[in-house]
Structures are given as C-alpha cells and as structure tokens.
Amino acid sequence: MTFHHPQKLKTIADLIGAKFIGSDDFEVLGTNEIHRVKSGEIVFVNHPKYYDKALNSAATIILIDKEVECPEGKALLISNDPFRDFNKINTHFTRISNFTEELHDVEIGEGTKIHSSAVIGNNVKIGKNTLIFPNVVIGDRTVIGDNVVIQSNTVLGGDAFYYRKLNGNFDRLISVGNVVVENNVEIGNGCTIDRGVTDSTIIGEGSVLDNQIQIGHDTVIGKRCLIASQVGVAGCCIIGDEVTLWGQVGIASGNNIESGSVLLGKTGVNRDLKKGTYIGMFAEDFKTYLKKEVKLRNLG
C-alpha cells in the first residue's frame, strides 16, 4: 500500500505507540508484504526465524518485535505486536467499507455493460467495452481494463486468507490492497480472486480463466495464461507469461512458475519451477515421469 502522501518515521511511530530507530524525518512511503515489499516501505516481522529475511529485504523500515542492530540506510519500529500494528497503520491510511457504506467514486468506460445484479464497491475503475455478467461482486479499489469479460458469480477483491493464531482464535491480517485485471482478460463463472494484503493481485493481459478458480492474495498471473477449472493458486505466487495450468492444479504460496510452462491436470507445486511441462503431486518433469513409468511397466 502506498500512502497518498509520504509520511515521517516519527509520525508512524506515534500512530502505533512504538519506539523507533532512525531519524525523526526518515521518509516512509507505504507498507507491503514481505514478498512484494519495495524501498521506502514498511514490512513487519514477529518471529526470530524471519528476522534476517525482513532486515535484508528491500524494505526500508522494519516493524519488529525486538530491538536489533539496524541495517545501514534503514529504520526500525519496535513494537510488542507487529502484526497488530501493521493492521493499525494500514487501516489508518485506507478506508475499509466492506460494502457497508456506499461511497462509490466509480469510473466506467465507454461501451461497458454491467448487469443490474452486479455489486460494485468503492473507488473502482472499469475500462471500455467490458462485459460484467449477473451476480458479479467487485470489491473496493479494483481496477479492470478494456475488453474484459467477467462471467456470473465471480468475486474480485475478497479478503486475503492471511491469519495468525492468537489466544486460541484466528486473527486476520486486514487486506488493504486490490485486484488489477488487465486488458482482454476473460474470467469464467464462480471464480474468486482475492485482493492483495497490501499490494495488487494481478491478472495479466490476454489471460483466460475457466470456471471455479481461486487466486490468492498478492499473486501475479502473467500475460496470455490459460487456466482451467478448479485450479487453486495460493498467495504471493508469480506465474509467468503464457503459462498453462490444467484442471485442479494446486500451487502453494510464494512459488514462481517460469514463463511458457505447462502444468498438467492435478499437478501440485511446492517449489519454484523452471520452464517445462510437469505432472504429479510434486510437479515432476513430464518426460522423466514417462521414462519412469516405462521402466516400472517393464519390470513385470
């Protein structure tokens, strides 16, 4: 999430009641999740296992639960609950309405047709010659390009599935990002595309999605991808251009799929994949899989 205007480190520290290490006027541009964080932004960390990852990330400001040595050129915000205070910062700078308030400020391009049963949130932008079918739900801050087709019962911009366990219950990390659907995309019936926690979930230009597909928060789908029914992509994945995902493919969070790859039906992904064709529960190279099958059959 980028602030509308740059903030100062002391301003943010005062907002959450945190101690800070760094200059009072150290510039803060926004917040972001660790997989997408950029220079000038805050990232949070609340477990020693991930201290180094956060401190050595592109983040310039680290919201952390212990005072540690501050890397050169960076700043620290010391909090007894970084998760809570990350939410506090995000919701201070982003209005959360969740369809309880009709503020709107919606931009709709020429030639676009939206069925009367569709529900549109606030600060939404929709391009030209786009077609939105019955019962589509478009959440706050969603951006949709030109010549897009969104079929019935699809939800763009639902909350991210991002929780921690707190006092025996699940505590949500509040989603202040959005969904961006680029030009010439087609999305089938009953798809769910979660908005980013702090950044954009992106469906790249010319991509086509079948029915009943789940795309997790902050995931980036490249250009001209083809995704078949019942695919599930978890949060913070990067899918390259011209990737094909056949039915019931499942991709775990934080994994990258190189451009031009093909994942055959029911393939499971738990690691980054180079360009290739894959099959199986643990994404095995397809040619290797066929050779193995031939050897197994010849054993008889």
Side-chain angles (χ1 to χ4, degrees):
M1 176 190 66
T2 302
F3 300 143
H4 291 301
H5 304 286
Q7 303 294 314
K8 302 302 181 185
L9 182 65
K10 187 177 186 306
T11 303
I12 302 298
D14 289 345
L15 172 65
I16 60 176
K19 177 182 177 181
F20 65 92
I21 297 174
S23 173
D24 286 15
D25 60 356
F26 195 99
E27 191 171 67
V28 186
L29 303 181
T31 67
N32 223 327
E33 211 266 340
I34 187 68
H35 294 85
R36 301 284 294 275
V37 72
K38 302 180 289 295
S39 178
E41 295 177 335
I42 301 169
V43 71
F44 84 91
V45 60
N46 57 359
H47 194 289
K49 179 179 177 180
Y50 302 109
Y51 284 174
D52 285 346
K53 184 176 181 179
L55 292 165
N56 295 316
S57 71
T60 311
I61 306 93
I62 297 88
L63 175 59
I64 191 169
D65 60 353
K66 180 181 178 181
E67 187 169 335
V68 296
E69 185 176 350
C70 183
E72 186 176 354
K74 300 192 177 189
L76 302 180
L77 290 162
I78 316 300
S79 163
N80 64 0
D81 191 341
F83 190 104
R84 175 201 67 206
D85 289 338
F86 196 71
N87 270 340
K88 189 171 183 179
I89 295 167
N90 287 335
T91 54
H92 179 82
F93 290 100
T94 303
R95 187 164 187 170
I96 306 297
S97 62
N98 289 331
F99 301 102
T100 59
E101 301 175 86
E102 290 197 17
L103 308 174
H104 279 104
D105 189 19
V106 175
E107 297 180 21
I108 300 174
E110 183 180 356
T112 286
K113 298 186 184 302
I114 302 173
H115 192 271
S116 60
S117 64
V119 178
I120 300 177
N122 303 304
N123 303 113
V124 170
K125 296 181 180 179
I126 303 173
K128 301 176 182 177
N129 302 313
T130 284
L131 184 59
I132 297 176
F133 283 49
N135 300 319
V136 168
V137 177
I138 299 174
D140 291 356
R141 301 178 298 282
T142 299
V143 178
I144 299 171
D146 301 336
N147 306 308
V148 171
V149 176
I150 302 172
Q151 296 191 45
S152 298
N153 301 310
T154 282
V155 178
L156 303 181
D159 285 334
F161 188 71
Y162 196 135
Y163 295 83
R164 66 168 173 175
K165 200 74 172 289
L166 180 68
N167 300 323
N169 297 308
F170 291 107
D171 184 28
R172 179 192 294 276
L173 191 64
I174 298 170
S175 306
V176 297
N178 73 339
V179 170
V180 175
V181 179
E182 296 183 348
N183 297 339
N184 305 309
V185 166
E186 295 189 17
I187 300 175
N189 299 285
C191 295
T192 51
I193 301 175
D194 294 343
R195 67 180 180 262
V197 171
T198 46
D199 211 314
S200 297
T201 302
I202 300 173
I203 310 300
E205 182 175 0
S207 288
V208 177
L209 280 64
D210 195 1
N211 305 323
Q212 298 179 330
I213 290 166
Q214 158 67 16
I215 306 295
H217 69 88
D218 296 287
T219 279
V220 177
I221 305 293
K223 301 180 188 302
R224 298 175 300 282
C225 290
L226 185 68
I227 304 180
S229 180
Q230 298 183 7
V231 165
V233 182
C236 302
C237 292
I238 305 294
I239 311 297
D241 297 339
E242 300 181 355
V243 168
T244 300
L245 306 178
W246 290 116
Q248 298 187 346
V249 163
I251 303 176
S253 64
N255 289 301
N256 298 344
I257 310 297
E258 195 169 89
S259 295
S261 294
V262 176
L263 276 61
L264 301 176
K266 296 188 177 182
T267 295
V269 179
N270 63 352
R271 68 188 191 282
D272 292 351
L273 296 181
K274 296 292 185 181
K275 181 179 179 180
T277 300
Y278 297 89
I279 192 171
M281 185 179 294
F282 299 108
E284 186 176 5
D285 174 76
F286 186 54
K287 289 183 178 179
T288 302
Y289 166 81
L290 291 177
K291 289 177 182 178
K292 183 178 71 175
E293 285 296 302
V294 169
K295 288 181 180 180
L296 287 172
R297 294 188 182 196
N298 287 339
L299 287 176

